């Protein structure tokens, strides 16, 4: 939960960049068009004896008109700059110019409400599934490391499948099962969070967003992207957990250290190991699954703040629609911001989780 709060501004930038193509129209919209110039007053036209007054009023109205145009063009320029060059720097600049620093934190309350319970479910299911899928064979310890040489070589026996599984497959499968459970908890608040993150969001806050969604779209709106979320998060978690566990074992051998007393294996529970392994896993998994995250963002935000509605909730249909209308590059939008979010976030999550698990184990 801490990592979501700390990295939330980066998540906002990612959401804006992924929804950008349908949020910013190609032609000037009504939101950025200047109002028509004021018409002369009827009293000024009817009185030839007071020509000076209408001229003064016209000059003042002209100044007000120019000020309105300047403000509208300034806001439009920031949005159009981001549209032409959707970089992290331009996204931050656009948000700060038009909304201030508070714009980076819109929707953080929704994430706070959903992240805590979702993480609890996530790690509880992962640990239970890992224990069921991967049991140490003779000659290996509980971490899947051969006690004779400290190298991760042995497979674990799975009582579920009845045969030995490679550690990477067991960890990936356990992570996928954990994702299915945790996303059922997190998805409704994730939908609310992303709608609040959009520019010119019509919602005043979490409660207002939930109330209007229930009234206008029904309960299904909260889970409209659940299938897409699973399609994205299952491979994300599979890559994430497999990479983390494998990197952790490799770092246990590569980093300088001493064997655990009486066990003959290298210590994998060092803070540096968890930070590096977690960061590597988060970076790789977020890059690989970014196209699916773009689809999820579009489905969750469709119909809000000008984001185009997608006719079908099918992931394949949504992918085809985005590629056809915007090109393949649209699927990579927000990838750098996503990697910037998940790399430190994963390092924080794993180091905190492993430290807490070891602390509780001592009691």
């Amino acid at each position: 939960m801490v990592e979501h709060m700390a990295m939330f501004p980066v998540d906002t930038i990612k959401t804006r960049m992924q929804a950008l193509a349908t949020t910013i129209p190609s032609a000037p919209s009504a939101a950025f068009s200047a109002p028509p110039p004021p018409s002369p007053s009827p009293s000024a036209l009817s009185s030839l004896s007071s020509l000076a007054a209408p001229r003064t009023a016209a000059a003042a109205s002209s100044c007000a008109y120019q000020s309105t145009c300047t403000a509208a063009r300034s806001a439009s320029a920031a949005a159009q700059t981001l549209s032409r060059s959707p970089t992290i720097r331009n996204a931050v600049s656009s948000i700060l110019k038009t909304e201030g620093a508070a714009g980076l934190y819109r929707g953080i309350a929704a994430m706070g409400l959903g992240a805590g319970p979702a993480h609890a479910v996530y790690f509880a299911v992962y640990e239970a599934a890992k224990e069921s899928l991967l049991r140490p064979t003779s000659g290996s310890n509980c971490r899947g490391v051969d006690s004779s040489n400290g190298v991760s070589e042995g497979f674990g026996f799975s009582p579920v499948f009845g045969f030995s599984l490679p550690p990477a497959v067991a960890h990936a499968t356990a992570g996928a099962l954990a994702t299915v459970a945790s996303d059922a908890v997190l998805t409704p608040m994730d939908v609310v969070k992303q709608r609040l993150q959009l520019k010119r969001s019509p919602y005043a806050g979490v409660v207002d967003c939930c109330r209007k969604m229930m009234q206008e779209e029904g309960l299904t709106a909260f889970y409209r992207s659940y299938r897409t979320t699973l399609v994205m998060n299952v491979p994300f978690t599979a890559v994430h957990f497999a990479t983390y566990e494998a990197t952790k074992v490799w770092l246990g051998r590569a980093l300088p250290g001493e064997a655990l007393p009486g066990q003959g294996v290298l210590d994998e529970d060092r803070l540096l190991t968890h930070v590096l392994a977690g960061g590597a896993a988060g970076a790789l998994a977020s890059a690989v699954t970014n196209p699916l995250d773009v689809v999820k963002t579009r489905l969750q935000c469709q119909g809000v703040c000008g984001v185009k509605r997608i006719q079908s909730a099918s992931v394949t249909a949504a992918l085809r629609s985005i590629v056809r209308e915007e090109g393949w590059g649209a699927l990579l939008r927000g990838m750098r911001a996503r990697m910037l979010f998940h790399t430190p976030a994963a390092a924080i999550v794993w180091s905190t989780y492993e430290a807490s698990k070891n602390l509780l184990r001592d009691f």
Side-chain angles (χ1 to χ4, degrees):
M1 181 173 174
V2 174
E3 84 282 1
H4 284 290
M5 302 295 103
M7 303 303 298
F8 192 83
V10 181
D11 186 61
T12 299
I13 294 167
K14 185 242 356 166
T15 298
R16 293 287 182 92
M17 294 176 70
Q18 289 180 342
L20 180 64
T22 49
T23 300
I24 306 298
S26 57
S29 64
F32 295 125
S33 60
S39 302
S41 171
S43 60
L45 293 176
S46 62
S47 179
L48 296 177
S49 60
S50 53
L51 288 176
R55 287 174 181 171
T56 304
S61 298
S62 177
C63 290
Y65 171 68
Q66 294 294 337
S67 299
T68 304
C69 290
T70 301
R73 287 168 182 166
S74 177
S76 178
Q80 290 173 357
T81 299
L82 179 59
S83 179
R84 289 192 303 269
S85 180
T87 63
I88 296 176
R89 180 178 180 179
N90 287 339
V92 174
S93 176
S94 176
I95 294 173
L96 292 179
K97 284 182 179 179
T98 57
E99 304 166 61
L104 295 170
Y105 290 92
R106 279 185 59 85
I108 193 171
M111 179 52 64
L113 291 172
H119 273 62
V121 172
Y122 187 82
F123 285 109
V125 174
Y126 174 70
E127 290 294 339
K130 185 173 70 170
E131 289 296 323
S132 298
L133 294 172
L134 186 60
R135 296 282 178 83
T137 57
S138 59
S140 65
N141 70 350
C142 62
R143 297 187 183 114
V145 181
D146 187 359
S147 60
S148 62
N149 56 16
V151 180
S152 176
E153 294 175 346
F155 287 4
F157 176 78
S158 171
V160 176
F161 296 108
F163 55 84
S164 297
L165 289 176
V169 175
H171 294 142
T173 305
L177 293 174
T179 296
V180 173
S182 65
D183 280 349
V185 178
L186 183 60
T187 295
M189 285 296 100
D190 190 54
V191 173
V192 174
K193 178 210 71 172
Q194 287 204 315
R195 292 197 176 199
L196 290 171
Q197 285 177 323
L198 291 177
K199 185 175 183 179
R200 299 186 301 275
S201 175
Y203 307 110
V206 175
V207 176
D208 181 59
C209 182
C210 292
R211 180 176 57 82
K212 288 182 178 178
M213 287 180 64
M214 284 293 294
Q215 291 176 350
E216 299 171 5
E217 304 172 62
L219 182 63
T220 57
F222 291 94
Y223 284 95
R224 185 177 295 149
S225 65
Y226 180 59
R227 182 171 58 181
T228 308
T229 301
L230 289 181
V231 171
M232 178 195 72
N233 281 347
V234 167
F236 173 89
T237 308
V239 174
H240 186 117
F241 278 80
T243 303
Y244 171 76
E245 297 287 355
T247 306
K248 186 174 69 170
V249 173
W250 179 81
L251 289 173
R253 293 183 298 163
L255 293 177
E258 298 180 357
L260 291 174
Q263 298 186 31
V265 296
L266 295 179
D267 186 8
E268 299 169 10
D269 283 332
R270 289 173 294 180
L271 177 61
L272 181 60
T273 300
H274 299 314
V275 170
L276 294 178
L284 178 61
S286 60
V288 169
T289 59
N290 190 77
L292 294 171
D293 190 51
V294 173
V295 175
K296 186 200 76 168
T297 299
R298 299 291 180 86
L299 287 174
Q300 290 188 163
C301 300
Q302 59 181 314
V304 182
C305 297
V307 178
K308 181 180 177 182
R309 287 193 175 276
I310 299 177
Q311 298 298 325
S312 172
S314 166
V315 177
T316 304
L319 281 170
R320 289 176 179 173
S321 175
I322 293 172
V323 172
R324 182 176 61 252
E325 297 178 7
E326 305 169 38
W328 290 98
L331 298 178
L332 302 179
R333 184 159 292 165
M335 185 171 69
R336 290 184 180 180
R338 192 164 188 255
M339 292 178 68
L340 283 175
F341 175 87
H342 282 286
T343 301
I348 295 171
V349 166
W350 282 111
S351 57
T352 304
Y353 171 70
E354 295 284 5
S356 301
K357 187 171 69 173
N358 290 336
L359 180 64
L360 293 174
R361 186 184 297 158
D362 295 335
F363 285 97

